[in-house]
């Protein structure tokens, strides 16, 4: 018998979800025009002011420098580029993007873009990937140590991705904003906000990482080998929360993938299953804007829920993945945010995932422009996940 280590009971915490198609003034959204012109902006305003904070616009001096390039990556399978993406003239604020492009290509290729946790060198065995520069390492989270290459390689199945005709690009999230609370002085907030006083709606760290993803997309748009209209944004866990927000704020992303994003990502907050708002805001006070903290222990008072973050992706394809042992991220709640967003996809003429029975482990489901699976195992990204993402992306980006 299959043992599920998560609660398969959808109603273990009875809740009623806000209707994404109900305007704050009570009107019902009936057309895609009304969604685009009225309801989507209303929800974006809510998510900005109450959850992620207001992200800034373009960097003051965005520019790019290719630091290294070789067509010999992975035995000639791919061209590697390592690129410094600078946000200011002095190049005090920058990230280093690692990109692989399949050599076997006829024209511009689609791409996956996502941030990583431990440095580009930790995503691969490739010995030519540069280590994070010392000025960056000095600002990384306390206790951060340069680890060996490839410690997170299992999360980045580069050769598999490349052989399927996709480019792939990543940067270390610490480059944009180190993952600890120092009052927003150690990352791009300092550059973008200067000495502007912060308030309850000020953007926080997840928003900064998402902003960094958009700057990478700015760069990909300059690359003739890349079809920048076909870039999927992907992230795991806190970076899955980030990929969802990047997909919401930047509609240039053609497809959005949430891998085990859990609380404040895909998981329905009102279920209060696994990680709750109180816990996440206590442990990671820098991730969300201050107004979000008002909902600690009061999830049912939220004027939105996470299915509406998923709805911000519509009508673009969205994929939500969970892992069977990842009860902390609430796989059931992650699934139900898809179900809750389906009506918005319907508005655009696409079917959505509506089955109220949570799918079995490793039975991927794709309906219309929504995809889902629960991988057997722990909180992580594995080859199984990439196999599903590629076959989902093949439907829309090829
Ligand atoms: C956990 C956190 C989760 C998730 C995870 C991760 O500590 O509670 O929300 O973000 O970290 O990013 O791996």
């Amino acid at each position: 018998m299959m043992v599920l280590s998560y609660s398969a009971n959808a109603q273990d915490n009875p809740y009623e979800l806000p209707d994404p198609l109900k305007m704050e003034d009570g009107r019902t959204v009936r057309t895609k025009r009304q969604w685009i012109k009225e309801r989507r902006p209303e929800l974006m305003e809510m998510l900005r002011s109450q959850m992620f904070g207001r992200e800034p616009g373009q960097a003051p001096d965005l520019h790019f420098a290719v630091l290294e390039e070789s067509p010999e990556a992975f035995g000639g399978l791919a061209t590697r580029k390592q690129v410094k993406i600078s946000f200011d003239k002095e190049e005090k604020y920058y990230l280093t993007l690692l990109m692989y492009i399949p050599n076997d290509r006829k024209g511009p290729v689609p791409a996956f873009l996502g941030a990583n946790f431990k440095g580009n060198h930790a995503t691969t065995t490739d010995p030519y990937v540069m280590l994070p520069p010392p000025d960056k390492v000095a600002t990384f989270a306390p206790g951060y140590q340069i680890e060996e290459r490839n410690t997170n390689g299992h999360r980045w199945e580069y050769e598999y991705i490349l052989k399927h005709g996709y480019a792939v690009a990543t940067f270390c999230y610490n480059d944009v904003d180190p993952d600890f609370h120092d009052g927003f002085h150690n990352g791009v907030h300092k550059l973008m906000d200067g000495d502007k006083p912060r308030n309850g709606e000020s953007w926080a760290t997840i928003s900064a990482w998402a902003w960094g993803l958009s700057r990478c997309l700015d760069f990909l748009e300059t690359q003739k080998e890349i079809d920048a209209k076909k870039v999927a944004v992907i992230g795991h866990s806190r970076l899955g929360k980030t990929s969802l927000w990047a997909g919401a704020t930047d509609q240039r992303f053609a497809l959005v993938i949430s891998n085990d994003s859990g609380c404040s990502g895909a998981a329905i907050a009102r279920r209060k299953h696994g990680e709750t708002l109180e816990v996440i805001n206590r442990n990671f006070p820098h991730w969300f804007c201050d107004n979000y903290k008002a909902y600690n222990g009061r999830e049912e008072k939220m004027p939105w829920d996470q299915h509406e973050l998923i709805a911000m992706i519509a009508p673009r394809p969205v994929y939500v993945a969970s892992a069977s042992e990842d009860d902390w991220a609430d796989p059931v709640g992650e699934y139900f945010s898809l179900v809750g967003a389906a009506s918005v996809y319907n508005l655009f003429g696409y079917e959505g995932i509506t089955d109220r029975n949570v799918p079995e482990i490793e039975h991927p489901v794709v309906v219309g422009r929504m995809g889902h699976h629960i991988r057997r195992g722990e909180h992580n990204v594995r080859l199984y996940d990439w196999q599903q993402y590629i076959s989902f992306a093949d439907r829309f980006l090829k």
Side-chain angles (χ1 to χ4, degrees), residues 225-244:
E225 306 95 319
I226 304 291
D227 185 345
K229 296 212 157 32
K230 294 186 173 173
V231 175
V233 64
I234 181 168
H236 169 60
S237 204
R238 67 197 70 182
L239 296 176
K241 311 179 207 301
T242 306
S243 62
L244 288 172

Short mmCIF file of all heavy atoms in Angstrom, two decimals, residues 225-244:
data_model
loop_
_atom_site.label_atom_id
_atom_site.label_comp_id
_atom_site.label_asym_id
_atom_site.label_seq_id
_atom_site.Cartn_x
_atom_site.Cartn_y
_atom_site.Cartn_z
N GLU A 225 21.03 33.78 -29.70
CA GLU A 225 20.84 32.32 -29.62
C GLU A 225 19.59 31.94 -28.83
O GLU A 225 19.17 30.80 -28.82
CB GLU A 225 22.03 31.64 -28.93
CG GLU A 225 23.39 31.93 -29.50
CD GLU A 225 24.09 33.07 -28.76
OE1 GLU A 225 23.39 34.07 -28.41
OE2 GLU A 225 25.30 32.97 -28.53
N ILE A 226 19.04 32.93 -28.11
CA ILE A 226 17.92 32.64 -27.20
C ILE A 226 16.63 33.24 -27.76
O ILE A 226 16.62 34.38 -28.23
CB ILE A 226 18.17 33.28 -25.81
CG1 ILE A 226 19.49 32.81 -25.20
CG2 ILE A 226 16.99 33.04 -24.86
CD1 ILE A 226 19.53 31.37 -24.79
N ASP A 227 15.55 32.46 -27.68
CA ASP A 227 14.23 33.00 -28.00
C ASP A 227 13.64 33.55 -26.70
O ASP A 227 13.08 32.81 -25.88
CB ASP A 227 13.34 31.89 -28.58
CG ASP A 227 12.00 32.43 -29.02
OD1 ASP A 227 11.66 33.58 -28.63
OD2 ASP A 227 11.27 31.73 -29.74
N ALA A 228 13.83 34.84 -26.49
CA ALA A 228 13.47 35.45 -25.20
C ALA A 228 11.96 35.48 -24.96
O ALA A 228 11.51 35.74 -23.85
CB ALA A 228 14.07 36.85 -25.10
N LYS A 229 11.19 35.18 -26.00
CA LYS A 229 9.74 35.09 -25.81
C LYS A 229 9.35 33.71 -25.29
O LYS A 229 8.18 33.41 -25.06
CB LYS A 229 9.01 35.36 -27.12
CG LYS A 229 9.24 36.78 -27.63
CD LYS A 229 8.03 37.27 -28.39
CE LYS A 229 7.90 38.77 -28.46
NZ LYS A 229 9.13 39.53 -28.49
N LYS A 230 10.37 32.86 -25.14
CA LYS A 230 10.12 31.50 -24.66
C LYS A 230 11.03 31.16 -23.49
O LYS A 230 11.76 30.17 -23.52
CB LYS A 230 10.32 30.51 -25.81
CG LYS A 230 9.30 30.68 -26.91
CD LYS A 230 9.42 29.63 -27.97
CE LYS A 230 8.26 29.76 -28.97
NZ LYS A 230 8.43 28.85 -30.09
N VAL A 231 10.99 32.01 -22.49
CA VAL A 231 11.81 31.75 -21.31
C VAL A 231 10.90 31.31 -20.16
O VAL A 231 9.96 32.02 -19.79
CB VAL A 231 12.63 32.99 -20.90
CG1 VAL A 231 13.39 32.73 -19.60
CG2 VAL A 231 13.61 33.36 -22.02
N ALA A 232 11.20 30.12 -19.62
CA ALA A 232 10.48 29.62 -18.46
C ALA A 232 11.24 30.01 -17.21
O ALA A 232 12.46 29.86 -17.15
CB ALA A 232 10.38 28.09 -18.53
N VAL A 233 10.54 30.53 -16.21
CA VAL A 233 11.20 30.88 -14.95
C VAL A 233 10.88 29.77 -13.94
O VAL A 233 9.75 29.32 -13.83
CB VAL A 233 10.79 32.30 -14.47
CG1 VAL A 233 9.31 32.41 -14.14
CG2 VAL A 233 11.64 32.73 -13.28
N ILE A 234 11.93 29.32 -13.26
CA ILE A 234 11.79 28.17 -12.37
C ILE A 234 12.46 28.47 -11.04
O ILE A 234 13.43 29.25 -10.98
CB ILE A 234 12.41 26.91 -13.02
CG1 ILE A 234 12.26 25.69 -12.10
CG2 ILE A 234 13.88 27.11 -13.41
CD1 ILE A 234 12.58 24.37 -12.77
N GLY A 235 11.96 27.86 -9.97
CA GLY A 235 12.61 28.01 -8.68
C GLY A 235 12.16 26.95 -7.71
O GLY A 235 11.03 26.44 -7.80
N HIS A 236 13.05 26.64 -6.78
CA HIS A 236 12.76 25.64 -5.76
C HIS A 236 12.60 26.31 -4.40
O HIS A 236 13.42 27.14 -4.00
CB HIS A 236 13.92 24.63 -5.69
CG HIS A 236 13.87 23.72 -4.50
ND1 HIS A 236 12.82 22.86 -4.27
CD2 HIS A 236 14.73 23.56 -3.46
CE1 HIS A 236 13.03 22.20 -3.15
NE2 HIS A 236 14.18 22.60 -2.63
N SER A 237 11.53 25.94 -3.71
CA SER A 237 11.32 26.34 -2.33
C SER A 237 11.23 27.86 -2.19
O SER A 237 10.39 28.47 -2.85
CB SER A 237 12.43 25.76 -1.46
OG SER A 237 11.98 25.66 -0.16
N ARG A 238 12.09 28.53 -1.41
CA ARG A 238 11.98 29.99 -1.33
C ARG A 238 12.19 30.60 -2.71
O ARG A 238 11.66 31.67 -3.02
CB ARG A 238 12.96 30.56 -0.30
CG ARG A 238 14.41 30.42 -0.64
CD ARG A 238 15.30 30.61 0.58
NE ARG A 238 15.15 29.49 1.51
CZ ARG A 238 15.77 29.38 2.68
NH1 ARG A 238 16.56 30.34 3.08
NH2 ARG A 238 15.59 28.33 3.45
N LEU A 239 12.93 29.91 -3.53
CA LEU A 239 13.13 30.41 -4.90
C LEU A 239 11.96 30.03 -5.81
O LEU A 239 11.80 30.58 -6.90
CB LEU A 239 14.47 29.92 -5.45
CG LEU A 239 15.69 30.47 -4.68
CD1 LEU A 239 16.99 29.87 -5.20
CD2 LEU A 239 15.73 32.00 -4.75
N GLY A 240 11.12 29.10 -5.34
CA GLY A 240 9.85 28.81 -6.02
C GLY A 240 8.82 29.91 -5.72
O GLY A 240 8.06 30.32 -6.59
N LYS A 241 8.83 30.39 -4.48
CA LYS A 241 8.00 31.56 -4.15
C LYS A 241 8.44 32.70 -5.07
O LYS A 241 7.64 33.48 -5.59
CB LYS A 241 8.19 31.97 -2.69
CG LYS A 241 8.08 30.83 -1.64
CD LYS A 241 8.31 31.32 -0.22
CE LYS A 241 8.87 30.29 0.77
NZ LYS A 241 8.17 29.09 1.02
N THR A 242 9.75 32.78 -5.24
CA THR A 242 10.33 33.85 -6.07
C THR A 242 9.94 33.70 -7.53
O THR A 242 9.62 34.69 -8.19
CB THR A 242 11.87 33.81 -5.92
OG1 THR A 242 12.22 33.87 -4.53
CG2 THR A 242 12.53 34.95 -6.67
N SER A 243 9.98 32.48 -8.06
CA SER A 243 9.65 32.34 -9.49
C SER A 243 8.18 32.69 -9.72
O SER A 243 7.83 33.28 -10.76
CB SER A 243 10.00 30.94 -10.03
OG SER A 243 9.27 29.95 -9.39
N LEU A 244 7.32 32.36 -8.77
CA LEU A 244 5.90 32.74 -8.93
C LEU A 244 5.74 34.25 -8.95
O LEU A 244 5.01 34.81 -9.77
CB LEU A 244 5.06 32.13 -7.80
CG LEU A 244 4.85 30.62 -7.86
CD1 LEU A 244 4.18 30.12 -6.58
CD2 LEU A 244 4.00 30.23 -9.08
#
